Amino acid sequence: MQSKDLLQVAEQFGSPVYVYDAEKIQFQYNRLSKAFSKVSKLRINYAMKALSNVAILQLLRDMGSGLDTVSIQEVMLGLHAGYEPEKIFYTPNGVSLEEIEEVNAMGVQINIDNLSILEQFGTKYPEVPVCIRINPHVMAGGNANISVGHIDSKFGISVHQLPHLVRIVENTKMNIVGIHMHTGSDILDIGVFLYAAEILFDAAKSFKNLEFLDFGSGFKVPYKKDDIETDIEELGKKLSKRFNAFCVEYGKELTLIFEPGKFLVSEAGCFLAKVNVVKQTTSTVFAGIDSGFNHLIRPMFYGSQHHIENISHPKGKERFYSVVGYICETDTFANNRRIAEIKEGDILSFRNAGAYCYSMASNYNSRYKPAEVLWMNGEGHLIRAHETFEDILRNQIPLPQAVETV
Ligand SMILES: *Cc1c(COP(=O)(O)O)cnc(C)c1O
């Protein structure tokens, strides 16, 4: 998508608006498949919590993708988007046995991440094929909030509890068909990933009926200029070789699974917002946009640095700006950022707005959530209308009549 395309979208659908480039999503999907083309059974399950618009789910379904889901509602959305239940994985954390049973009844692959549920589920449904989430305790990830493999993490069954785990499996005679790990987002070092993979290979030897190994995700994509990204091609070369050797050792051709979210959709997305006000104070020039952390919370929540461009006047002299929102709290998108001179009414484009942006949006300050547009074959297709006042009122139940104040 070029700036002129983005401007056209802002013109046509208004601002603020999310725009996703279908080609970029397809490119990333094919890139990952290609990197692991030496593995004969590869499966990519899109982690839909990154961006759960039904049109995006359909786009990936048509490419042959499976889905990784973390809630029963995500499973329902996936089924609604036309995924076969067998293509959906359910990898929840801290949900009730009742929810797991309900999802199991839908024919979806269950992935269990604690010993208590494993024992309860295994006792009740010994015949159901189950995957187990192992925590290899490998520290990966750029931010403590998104690092899920470390020793204090709430995710997965500790690899140190393997003997206990195996005992539960033997006692219940349950059917373990896969083991899984997900060490968190933002893997910078392939060596760390390969090290965690070794722990998974080792754990896999304790189970005789495996069909797949799921290596989760956490691939890092560049956000800022000169950012490092996970070298997928290099990882593909090394892990494929090791995986194929492991299959020989295990005596069976297993399926290798990944479940990327950010890698597939982050760079495909742009968030467009209009500058309402340029405010010069004694020390700072603020550019105040028609949005806030209600639409894009990552900069405030994770400290993410989304590249910002002035697509209305890209050639202007660069100046330093603090880009802020209209929420009645501090909601700073960027501090002291060099951006081509901004005039009121200009459209700013935020990059890397595909993953964990719209899906984390809220109605804080009773603002509407923005529209979403898919850019495909040279034009913008509306895939979610922006909200209206009806949406704000939906499900609210007013008192039957005015309440007298005392
Ligand atoms: C969130 C999540 C992913 C996707 O992580 P990314 O960093 O977006 O690739 C994969 N697997 C599980 C279990 C997750 O919770």
Side-chain angles (χ1 to χ4, degrees), residues 145-295:
N145 290 339
I146 48 179
S147 185
V148 295
H150 57 87
I151 197 87
D152 293 328
S153 164
K154 67 167 186 163
F155 295 96
I157 298 169
S158 168
V159 71
H160 305 306
Q161 291 173 303
L162 198 59
H164 189 174
L165 199 170
V166 170
R167 215 173 319 125
I168 290 174
V169 170
E170 283 171 0
N171 289 344
T172 57
K173 302 200 166 47
M174 63 192 302
N175 182 13
I176 304 302
V177 291
I179 55 174
H180 164 271
M181 69 169 191
H182 172 63
T183 53
S185 279
D186 288 3
I187 293 163
L188 296 177
D189 186 346
I190 288 173
V192 173
F193 196 90
L194 293 170
Y195 176 73
E198 286 307 321
I199 296 172
L200 203 70
F201 288 134
D202 219 37
K205 293 177 194 155
S206 300
F207 305 95
K208 298 288 160 256
N209 297 318
L210 295 183
E211 288 164 14
F212 61 85
L213 295 182
D214 184 337
F215 292 89
S217 173
F219 305 135
K220 180 165 170 46
V221 300
Y223 273 71
K224 321 188 272 275
K225 214 171 158 227
D226 304 325
D227 238 359
I228 13 177
E229 61 178 309
T230 308
D231 187 340
I232 292 291
E233 287 69 27
E234 180 78 9
L235 181 67
K237 228 182 268 168
K238 291 189 167 152
L239 185 58
S240 299
K241 194 161 170 233
R242 181 64 187 96
F243 181 81
N244 288 337
F246 177 78
C247 288
V248 172
E249 191 185 331
Y250 189 76
K252 186 175 176 188
E253 196 91 67
L254 300 171
T255 301
L256 191 164
I257 302 179
F258 281 117
E259 43 190 41
K262 195 182 268 186
F263 178 80
L264 293 177
V265 298
S266 175
E267 294 164 283
C270 283
F271 179 58
L272 308 179
K274 194 169 73 192
V275 177
N276 281 337
V277 61
V278 177
K279 181 172 180 175
Q280 168 88 62
T281 66
T282 46
S283 58
T284 308
V285 188
F286 289 101
I289 61 172
D290 62 350
S291 181
F293 71 63
N294 49 329
H295 298 154

Side-chain angles (χ1 to χ4, degrees), residues 16 276 288-295 324-329 331 333 364-365 367-368:
N276 281 337
I289 61 172
D290 62 350
S291 181
F293 71 63
N294 49 329
H295 298 154
V324 294
Y326 58 17
I327 291 295
C328 292
E329 257 177 74
D331 55 348
F333 291 102
Y364 189 45
N365 280 203
R367 292 285 184 182
Y368 306 147

